[in-house]
Amino acid sequence: MKFKKLVLTTGMLLLFFSLWAKDAYYENDDYKLFLSYNDTVLQGDAVFLRLTITPQRLWKKPGKTLETTASVNLLNKKEKIDGSTFFRIHSKKAVKNAVELLSGIPVSTNSKEGSYSLQVLYTPFGTGTMEFSVPLTIKKKDFPAETIPLDDENAALKSDMSSERLDQIEKLNNVLRTTGTAVYQFFPFTEPVTSDRRTAGFGDRRIYTYANGRSSADIHRGIDFGVPTGTPVHACAAGKVVMAGKRLTTGWTVVLEHLPGLYSLYYHMDSLSVKPGTVVKQGDQLGLSGATGLATGPHLHWEIRLNTSAVNPDFFTGDFAFAKQDEQ
């Protein structure tokens, strides 16, 4: 069923990372629906949707579930590009009995610029599934290219196809594929180190050259901060340590879970001060930066994964989940 009374407001909020937020509102005798989402996004960022459904009456249906669920699909015309389910959040200023839901979809650095749509499917208070769509624009972003020469040691790590490395890759992928229900933080993240020196950016196109004349291409999945070995590394947001240990290519590594499907990763550290299972607050120290694993010099590699895909960490230092509305 398509909405007949869906109204997009004309008021827009300009966020610092050059995204526009738009609101959608719908109301009937049974409930009110309010949606906030970023309707313009750059390649490599993400689309986040925050959905609040407030009942207009008391729902009582003996023997039937009153659970409210929702999902969203990213469409290019009628073709589904990606999709995600919503999860429950609880803000401090939530209206009584209101259901607050949040969902995010990664946007690939290789996405074509142009017009898309977001199809939202939801089941309010255990009733039938409802559907509506809102527009989305993906804009082009220029990603720098660089050539990185590797010495023999780093070349060996880069081309390592041993069972040990393959097992480490699979273990990390299994962690990133795990979608729990815990919500640790949905207000803006902070950078993990105090430094203005970035030696590589998210989405940089890289060519690795080897001493034997070979080369390989890759896309940089995070941000590199050029900091000296021993620089304190802090949690960018509250979360749970789901991985902490040494890997062949990423050296001493920490992975934090922040939201269902949303993780932050910290590579090439010199030492760790947390263990798997630890719950940390935003700003807690995770360890010290270094140059372990495949590294051409001391730095911290900071990465964010959403539904297993790497997305621009800078996106999350803005109000990606529209938390400012909770303060109003």
Side-chain angles (χ1 to χ4, degrees):
M1 180 183 295
K2 296 287 186 180
F3 273 161
K4 298 298 184 181
K5 297 182 180 179
L6 184 64
V7 178
L8 292 179
T9 66
T10 56
M12 294 183 180
L13 172 65
L14 178 62
L15 305 182
F16 87 96
F17 40 78
S18 300
L19 292 177
W20 292 95
K22 182 169 281 190
D23 299 330
Y25 177 77
Y26 173 75
E27 180 177 358
N28 61 22
D29 292 338
D30 294 326
Y31 61 87
K32 297 178 182 179
L33 179 149
F34 184 78
L35 173 75
S36 292
Y37 79 106
N38 48 302
D39 71 328
T40 302
V41 63
L42 298 174
Q43 294 168 327
D45 286 348
V47 182
F48 264 78
L49 304 93
R50 181 166 173 172
L51 184 64
T52 301
I53 304 177
T54 306
Q56 299 274 57
R57 62 181 177 86
L58 183 63
W59 293 81
K60 287 185 178 181
K61 292 189 176 181
K64 293 186 178 180
T65 178
L66 300 183
E67 183 180 8
T68 297
T69 60
S71 62
V72 57
N73 295 319
L74 172 59
L75 305 179
N76 183 2
K77 296 181 180 179
K78 294 185 178 181
E79 179 186 0
K80 180 179 176 180
I81 305 301
D82 203 349
S84 182
T85 57
F86 283 78
F87 52 86
R88 292 285 296 268
I89 59 174
H90 301 279
S91 66
K92 295 180 180 179
K93 291 194 175 182
V95 177
K96 185 178 180 181
N97 296 324
V99 176
E100 296 183 299
L101 302 167
L102 186 67
S103 185
I105 296 180
V107 175
S108 170
T109 60
N110 294 317
S111 297
K112 293 183 179 180
E113 57 181 321
S115 298
Y116 294 75
S117 63
L118 295 165
Q119 176 193 45
V120 179
L121 305 168
Y122 69 101
T123 305
F125 307 104
T127 59
T129 300
M130 304 289 288
E131 172 189 335
F132 66 93
S133 295
V134 290
L136 174 72
T137 300
I138 298 178
K139 289 191 173 183
K140 180 178 176 58
K141 182 178 180 180
D142 293 323
F143 297 100
E146 61 176 340
T147 299
I148 300 177
L150 299 179
D151 59 21
D152 290 341
E153 182 178 356
N154 280 327
L157 284 173
K158 182 68 176 173
S159 56
D160 186 356
M161 296 300 292
S162 66
S163 59
E164 181 182 6
R165 186 184 180 216
L166 294 179
D167 287 346
Q168 289 178 355
I169 292 173
E170 183 62 18
K171 181 180 178 181
L172 176 60
N173 287 337
N174 285 336
V175 167
L176 299 176
R177 282 193 287 261
T178 301
T179 303
T181 58
V183 174
Y184 294 100
Q185 178 174 320
F186 54 87
F187 52 85
F189 291 9
T190 53
E191 293 181 355
V193 293
T194 303
S195 175
D196 293 327
R197 182 171 178 256
R198 296 187 176 193
T199 53
F202 170 80
D204 289 359
R205 273 45 179 171
R206 287 182 162 181
I207 300 294
Y208 293 96
T209 59
Y210 307 85
N212 62 8
R214 291 179 53 248
S215 64
S216 62
D218 203 354
I219 295 177
H220 192 234
R221 295 180 176 85
I223 295 172
D224 286 351
F225 293 92
V227 292
T229 295
T231 301
V233 177
H234 304 281
C236 66
K240 181 180 181 180
V241 179
V242 291
M243 179 180 286
K246 195 170 187 179
R247 305 175 72 244
L248 290 172
T249 54
T250 62
W252 286 105
T253 298
V254 174
V255 179
L256 301 181
E257 177 190 19
H258 304 291
L259 294 171
L262 184 64
Y263 296 84
S264 62
L265 301 84
Y266 311 78
Y267 290 168
H268 311 299
M269 296 173 66
D270 189 64
S271 62
L272 307 183
S273 54
V274 292
K275 296 179 180 180
T278 305
V279 176
V280 298
K281 300 187 297 294
Q282 185 174 39
D284 281 356
Q285 185 167 316
L286 305 176
L288 302 176
S289 67
T292 56
L294 201 170
T296 57
H299 72 285
L300 174 73
H301 174 94
W302 178 42
E303 190 171 317
I304 300 289
R305 295 288 189 103
L306 174 61
N307 301 342
T308 73
S309 297
V311 286
N312 184 6
D314 284 332
F315 174 86
F316 294 90
T317 61
D319 190 20
F320 69 95
F322 315 102
K324 288 183 179 178
Q325 69 187 37
D326 302 328
E327 303 172 358
Q328 298 175 354

